[in-house]
């Protein structure tokens, strides 16, 4: 917990915590992390994507590797725990292994991913993509500019990384036993369950879309109701319908976070309204069926209100399932610790989404206060972190011990 | 029509028409208007509120006065006809009287009100308020600043007006036979009726209000639907209900022109939504009952969605009825011209609202294309203006002739 506070001092902004990819604040954070990692007996290295990795080599060779960690970049004006807690729990685990002088048949790599939030270059998962072999040295993304006009390539080079070595940042999947990401829940469900931790079943798939209703503007006083082509009542009906459809289906979440009215003046009938939908569910088919129902309603209400409706854009992100055997290990560890093994789908994206494409991946949620995240009020209880650490300790040992029996190798499910 | 185009050249902006109260553009417009008025045999004067008045004195004395006119200020990026057409129709009427060498028992004052739109000092009707005796030389409004920090008092003084003489700008009600304001409809009803002109029955009363729904923000992916306190579905339900309630009542218009979502980010559940209502009807009681129904619905849906609802503010403007006898004269003139005397309530405010408090007032609507106004696309057909002028000519003559028979004096109804 103290280290969370110390890391939070590494900020690009004098007020509050903002730590962007390859920034001075990240360099400061790396200095502190590397020091702690070294004290914990880890060998540290900076890979070509700016990931800081601390390795505990197994004394038994050859050995496969268990990866534990999360990201150290943050959103603007962030909390202290999103990302950082997962890295520091990996570090604490390494310290425990050192204290116990454990002789595991696997190596352990504690990873501090360089970029997950996507703030600086408007693209997330840069760090985990490199580790998963999904960001090569010739990727056009390296030419992308940040808001100050700095290319990603040059940001990495300035941070001491050699982007031409990006291919070497990738782990060889057969050599990886599992990746486990401890992370705060960023939602209120564990608080409602009165539980410190949960096993994440997967990360929900997501449809993001924008419906634009186009009508005809006019004077609020002079156009009779029956002559209007007002897009706002149509858009409002869609918002109501989105809410009803999602509420009726277990596990579905649908949000209209952004609604833009043109010209948005009190005495002018709107000409256009854009409704931005964010729809998530762990089951891609259910999500797609729900989206179709929403789309049909949009077209229908547009007709009723004599306005046009365009599905302006639509983006899909399929769901990611966590590895069944890793999940089972986490569940068993919770039961052994007298904790109810709650299963939870994650509605938010994590490095685990990228890692799961190549490695057996699990995600361990730790309760956070009020579900508040991406905000300075982010808060976790030490006891909950301790519970998470005990689960992590048991799970890592179990995963490692399984390596002694080749027939139980945990692979990509 | 040519004069409308010439007046539109008098603009504070090089692109498009913007002519604000006491601006250089208004001075230019006054120079042109005064020239045309003088040619039409009118005696011109600038009153203390910046109104330009051209007087055709009756040869028969003592004589009461008929007032005809509208305003010459505009909104930003305005059309050519809103306001200006009414002034120029008054001028055309004076020219007809001159051509016909008419000997009316009343004087005629053609008034170009200085301020109706309320743009420069964020308050409308400055010109007509002075004429109606509702803006005295000690009014605190004179201290109000425009966006450049100029006091209204100084703006008037700089325009050549003496604000200490404001009291003298007021007409004595018993001396005024009637005020007739020709104005474009600014709505689409006459176009639908396929009629060039209409008699306005009154100006709708108005309720403006802001409902603020306050919920709890959160991550669009991590907060289950049944744990949300999302204010947007509640606000959307209110928008739908407002639309339905108004549509169900003849003559009611209700508009949500402005809807503001906080923080208005696609993947964040909104924390607050402000819904701005504009509700109008010619019958104040019907309007108030409709507002109560809307308010009740707002409270009810807030409860359903577990959010708070504040009626943040509410402003009321009672309806204004036009003078029955003046309306009858306009109707008779239309019938005599083989025009169907359509009756229409005005949903927009006009100088007539202020004038009706003191004088027998009528408002004559002229069709405009597509109901478009406050926009460069504002357009009227010459034939419709001609029809309006014929109605105006007959009406003025009728009102004047009535003055020969004292028992039929038209007074405030």
């Amino acid at each position: 917990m103290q280290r969370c506070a110390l890391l939070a001092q590494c900020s690009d902004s004098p007020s509050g915590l903002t730590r962007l990819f390859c920034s001075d604040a990240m360099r400061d954070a790396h200095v502190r992390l590397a020091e702690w990692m070294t004290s914990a007996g880890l060998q540290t290295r900076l890979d070509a994507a700016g990931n800081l990795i601390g390795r505990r080599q197994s004394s038994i060779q050859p050995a496969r590797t268990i990866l534990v960690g999360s990201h150290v970049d943050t959103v603007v004006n962030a909390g202290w725990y999103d990302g950082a807690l997962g890295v520091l729990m990996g570090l604490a685990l390494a310290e425990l292994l050192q204290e116990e002088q454990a002789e595991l048949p696997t190596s352990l790599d504690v990873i501090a991913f360089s970029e997950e939030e996507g703030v600086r270059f408007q693209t997330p998962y840069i760090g985990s993509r490199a580790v998963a072999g999904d960001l090569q040295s010739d990727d056009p993304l390296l030419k992308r500019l940040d808001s100050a006009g700095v290319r990603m390539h040059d940001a990495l080079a300035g941070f001491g990384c050699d982007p031409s070595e990006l291919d070497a940042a990738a782990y060889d999947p057969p050599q990886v036993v599992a990746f486990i990401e401890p992370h705060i829940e960023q939602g209120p469900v564990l608080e409602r369950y009165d539980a410190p931790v949960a096993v994440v079943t997967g990360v929900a798939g997501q449809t993001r879309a924008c419906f634009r209703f186009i009508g005809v503007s006019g004077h609020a006083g002079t156009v009779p109701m029956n002559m209007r082509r007002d897009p706002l009542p149509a858009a409002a009906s869609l918002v109501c319908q989105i809410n009803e459809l999602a509420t009726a289906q277990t596990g579905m979440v649908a949000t209209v976070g952004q609604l833009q009215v043109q010209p948005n003046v009190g005495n002018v009938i709107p000409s256009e309204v854009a409704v931005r939908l964010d729809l998530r569910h762990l089951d891609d088919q259910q999500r797609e069926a729900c989206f179709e129902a929403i789309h049909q309603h949009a077209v229908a209400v547009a007709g009723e209100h004599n306005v046009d409706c365009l599905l302006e854009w639509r983006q899909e992100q399929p769901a990611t399932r966590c590895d069944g055997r890793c999940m089972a290990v986490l569940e068993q560890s919770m039961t052994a610790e007298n904790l109810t093994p709650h299963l939870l789908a994650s509605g938010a994206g994590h490095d685990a989404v990228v890692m799961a494409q190549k490695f057996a991946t699990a995600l361990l949620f730790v309760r956070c206060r009020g579900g508040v995240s991406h905000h300075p009020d982010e808060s976790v209880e030490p006891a909950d972190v301790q519970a998470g650490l005990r689960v992590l300790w048991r799970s890592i040992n179990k995963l490692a011990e399984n390596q002694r029996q080749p027939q139980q190798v945990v692979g990509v499910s």
Side-chain angles (χ1 to χ4, degrees), chain A residues 12 24 45 62 111 114 191 243 283 338 342 352 368 378 399:
Chain A
D12 294 315
D24 290 342
R45 66 182 173 95
I111 308 187
S114 56
E191 207 168 57
N243 193 257
D283 184 302
N338 288 319
H342 290 290
C368 61
E378 216 173 64
L399 286 167

Side-chain angles (χ1 to χ4, degrees), chain A residues 72-411:
Chain A
V72 285
D73 69 313
T74 72
V75 295
V76 173
N77 198 25
W80 293 2
Y81 305 98
D82 176 5
L85 182 69
V87 179
L88 294 171
M89 283 176 71
L91 176 67
L93 180 72
E95 284 180 331
L96 278 174
L97 292 170
Q98 187 185 39
E99 278 175 31
E100 303 282 332
Q101 298 182 318
E103 294 274 354
L104 296 188
T106 60
S107 299
L108 173 75
D109 279 10
V110 177
I111 308 187
F113 291 114
S114 56
E115 215 296 341
E116 189 262 359
E117 299 288 3
V119 176
R120 181 164 177 185
F121 287 97
Q122 299 287 303
T123 187
Y125 307 131
I126 297 170
S128 45
R129 282 183 59 189
V131 167
D134 186 34
L135 185 69
Q136 271 84 34
S137 54
D138 59 352
D139 197 300
L141 194 61
L142 289 164
K143 296 180 182 157
R144 189 177 284 209
L145 303 177
D146 70 6
S147 62
V150 178
R151 285 194 311 165
M152 189 187 294
H153 178 283
D154 300 337
L156 280 166
F159 198 69
C161 305
D162 180 356
S164 71
E165 295 294 318
L166 266 173
D167 304 20
Y171 279 67
D172 185 23
Q175 296 306 313
V176 174
V177 176
F179 167 63
I180 302 187
E181 181 172 14
H183 203 285
I184 57 169
E185 180 199 348
Q186 302 183 283
V189 179
L190 280 177
E191 207 168 57
R192 177 155 292 188
Y193 288 169
D194 194 20
V197 290
V199 181
V200 178
T201 54
V203 176
Q206 189 180 8
T207 301
R208 289 183 293 175
C210 180
F211 296 95
R212 185 172 295 274
F213 292 90
I214 302 167
V216 177
S217 188
H219 189 298
T222 65
V223 186
M225 299 306 283
N226 63 4
M227 293 180 69
R228 294 187 176 202
R229 298 184 60 194
D230 183 349
L232 187 56
S237 172
L238 182 64
V239 170
C240 293
Q241 185 71 8
I242 287 169
N243 193 257
E244 283 172 27
L245 282 169
T247 302
Q249 292 176 69
T250 306
M252 191 77 70
V253 286
T255 309
V256 177
Q258 195 176 68
L259 191 143
Q260 281 175 315
V261 179
Q262 298 291 340
N264 212 27
V265 173
N267 61 354
V268 177
I269 299 164
S271 56
E272 290 191 22
V273 180
V275 175
R276 195 161 158 173
L277 168 70
D278 182 314
L279 180 69
R280 310 191 196 200
H281 197 277
L282 192 58
D283 184 302
D284 289 337
Q285 284 188 332
Q286 273 194 61
R287 173 175 50 84
E288 277 154 29
C290 186
F291 180 80
E292 280 314 311
I294 289 168
H295 192 186
Q296 278 174 24
H297 186 82
V299 172
V301 288
E304 285 168 26
H305 289 271
N306 198 20
V307 299
D308 294 322
C309 176
L310 294 179
L311 174 56
E312 197 163 67
W313 51 262
R314 174 184 180 178
Q315 295 169 352
E316 302 284 340
Q317 170 89 34
T320 299
R321 298 283 180 167
C322 288
D323 181 76
R325 280 184 270 189
C326 287
M327 282 170 58
V329 169
L330 287 177
E331 285 182 68
Q332 289 156 15
S333 303
M334 288 183 190
T335 304
E337 292 288 344
N338 288 319
L339 298 167
T340 309
H342 290 290
L343 298 178
L344 214 62
S346 171
H350 295 288
D351 288 305
V353 170
V354 171
M355 296 293 279
Q357 310 310 313
K358 295 289 173 62
F359 314 113
T361 292
L363 186 48
L364 174 68
F365 270 173
V366 178
R367 170 166 57 184
C368 61
R369 192 175 62 201
V372 173
S373 184
H374 285 192
H375 191 279
D377 289 347
E378 216 173 64
S379 175
V380 295
E381 288 298 318
D384 294 352
V385 176
Q386 212 162 37
L389 263 175
R390 289 201 309 270
V391 171
L392 197 58
W393 167 258
R394 280 188 184 270
S395 300
I396 296 299
N397 277 284
K398 176 76 174 168
L399 286 167
E401 289 309 318
N402 285 348
Q403 293 301 305
R404 297 199 200 270
Q405 299 136 343
Q407 73 279 11
Q408 288 189 27
V409 166
V410 175

Side-chain angles (χ1 to χ4, degrees), chain A residues 23-35:
Chain A
S23 65
D24 290 342
M26 186 164 289
R27 194 186 310 273
D28 292 347
H30 278 194
V31 169
R32 295 194 176 187
L33 276 172
E35 198 176 292

